[in-house]
């Protein structure tokens, strides 16, 4: 299974990440603060998931626009989902949970500090951490 990673410049000093499972074509965006750059990068592809790492606006600002356009599912930390700080959140995950994008699996790692509910997504096979 191959995870394709696209790094997309956003704002003046940030990047967004578009992930695709090469086998299934399922697509996910990590922290879509700017929905327009994601829509442009996707072209005629669809978006299956939004995975948020934390609740700051430059990371969740595109959730509602993208969910409305693509009908994708929004995943965030359970801590943030329960507090209602992730726009359009569908599912909360916790440290040690495993989630998948097509045939690619990511382990959820809690990393409170930047925010109390901050999490990371670790794709061990691809050696990619978001």
């Amino acid at each position: 299974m191959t995870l394709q990673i696209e790094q997309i410049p956003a704002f003046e000093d940030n990047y967004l990440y578009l992930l695709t499972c090469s086998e299934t074509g399922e697509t996910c965006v990590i922290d879509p603060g700017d929905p327009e750059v994601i829509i442009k990068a996707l072209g005629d592809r669809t978006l299956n998931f939004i995975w948020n790492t934390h609740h700051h606006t430059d990371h969740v600002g595109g959730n509602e626009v993208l969910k409305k356009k693509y009908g994708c599912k929004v995943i965030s930390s359970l801590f943030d989902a329960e507090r209602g700080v992730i726009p359009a959140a569908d599912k909360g995950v916790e440290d040690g949970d495993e989630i998948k994008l097509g045939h690619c699996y990511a382990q959820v790692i809690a990393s409170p500090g930047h925010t109390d509910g901050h999490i990371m997504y670790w794709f061990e096979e691809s050696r990619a951490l978001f």
Side-chain angles (χ1 to χ4, degrees), residues 76-119:
S76 71
S77 73
L78 182 60
F79 180 86
D80 282 348
E82 288 179 340
R83 289 181 36 229
V85 296
I86 302 291
D90 292 302
K91 180 180 178 183
V93 293
E94 298 181 280
D95 187 63
D97 286 350
E98 186 175 79
I99 57 177
K100 67 178 190 160
L101 177 66
H103 295 144
C104 302
Y105 291 87
Q107 179 183 0
V108 176
I109 302 170
S111 56
H114 181 60
T115 65
D116 289 341
H118 196 278
I119 58 174

Side-chain angles (χ1 to χ4, degrees), residues 7-84:
Q7 187 178 33
I8 302 164
F11 308 112
E12 292 180 14
D13 63 349
N14 212 332
Y15 291 96
L16 308 179
Y17 296 92
L18 194 56
L19 313 178
T20 304
C21 173
S22 62
E23 291 184 19
T24 66
E26 276 195 351
T27 303
C28 168
V29 63
I30 306 288
D31 292 337
D34 182 347
E36 297 308 316
V37 299
I38 296 303
I39 292 167
K40 183 178 178 182
L42 282 166
D44 62 354
R45 296 178 288 171
T46 192
L47 183 65
N48 303 98
F49 299 99
I50 294 170
W51 292 359
N52 292 129
T53 61
H54 65 289
H55 70 271
H56 289 158
T57 304
D58 62 330
H59 292 256
V60 301
N63 283 13
E64 291 173 322
V65 169
L66 294 170
K67 183 173 181 174
K68 183 177 180 179
K69 180 171 178 63
Y70 298 103
C72 55
K73 299 292 182 195
V74 178
I75 310 297
S76 71
S77 73
L78 182 60
F79 180 86
D80 282 348
E82 288 179 340
R83 289 181 36 229

